[in-house]
Amino acid sequence: MKKLFLIASLFVSALAVQAQDKKADDVIKVNTEKYDFGKIKHNVPVTTFFEIKNVSDKPVVIENAWAGCGCTTPEWPKEPIAPNGTAKLKVGYNAAALNFFEKDVSVKLAGVNEPKVLKITGTVLDEAAYAAYEKEKKGSAKTSAAKPAPKKTK
């Protein structure tokens, strides 16, 4: 009898543990998992928004959001996201360090063990390099605008 009780207890415990193994992707969908700022100017902060949709049948709560360093700052909604509802996660980057960057932003959902990891990337240019980039970008826009559109062939 004790063995039967022990086996039944283990079975119930295994089911409870399995129920807690929900993944973030089972509960939410994000419009993009990686956002590239492209080329940005040194010491000019930038922000983007990730749109989070609740694809479950219960409200979803974002418990916390964090980044690996102080240069990246996520701001998340504190109120629950209703089923089929959406919310925006704001992520800022301070652009204090030059060169390419790739930063992780982790989003912890209530009732989900593993956080959802999003990424931001970009390249921070010094003032002179950014000015040259802007000049080149404007020049290529004028060149492409001056060219006639290709004709359709039959």
Side-chain angles (χ1 to χ4, degrees), residues 43-111:
N43 288 325
V44 177
V46 291
T47 59
T48 190
F49 291 87
F50 290 92
E51 187 172 284
I52 298 171
K53 181 175 183 174
N54 177 355
V55 295
S56 75
D57 59 352
K58 295 182 175 120
V60 171
V61 175
I62 299 174
E63 290 182 340
N64 195 7
W66 67 94
C69 69
C71 61
T72 306
T73 52
E75 296 177 27
W76 66 96
K78 307 302 186 251
E79 59 280 343
I81 306 168
N84 290 319
T86 59
K88 292 190 185 251
L89 173 75
K90 180 180 178 181
V91 178
Y93 180 71
N94 69 8
L98 293 171
N99 293 321
F100 176 79
F101 66 90
E102 181 175 88
K103 303 294 179 181
D104 289 347
V105 177
S106 299
V107 181
K108 174 67 174 87
L109 305 172

Side-chain angles (χ1 to χ4, degrees), residues 1-8:
M1 187 67 176
K2 286 184 181 180
K3 282 185 179 181
L4 183 59
F5 180 72
L6 179 63
I7 291 171

Side-chain angles (χ1 to χ4, degrees), residues 105-127:
V105 177
S106 299
V107 181
K108 174 67 174 87
L109 305 172
V112 178
N113 292 334
E114 292 294 317
K116 176 73 175 173
V117 179
L118 307 172
K119 291 188 180 299
I120 59 169
T121 62
T123 303
V124 180
L125 302 175
D126 64 28
E127 200 164 327

Side-chain angles (χ1 to χ4, degrees), residues 15-26:
L15 286 177
V17 168
Q18 192 175 28
Q20 292 177 351
D21 282 345
K22 265 194 273 184
K23 302 217 180 316
D25 289 337
D26 298 335

Side-chain angles (χ1 to χ4, degrees), residues 135-148:
K135 185 177 180 181
E136 178 186 311
K137 193 166 78 169
K138 285 179 185 172
S140 67
K142 285 181 184 177
T143 304
S144 63
K147 291 181 183 176

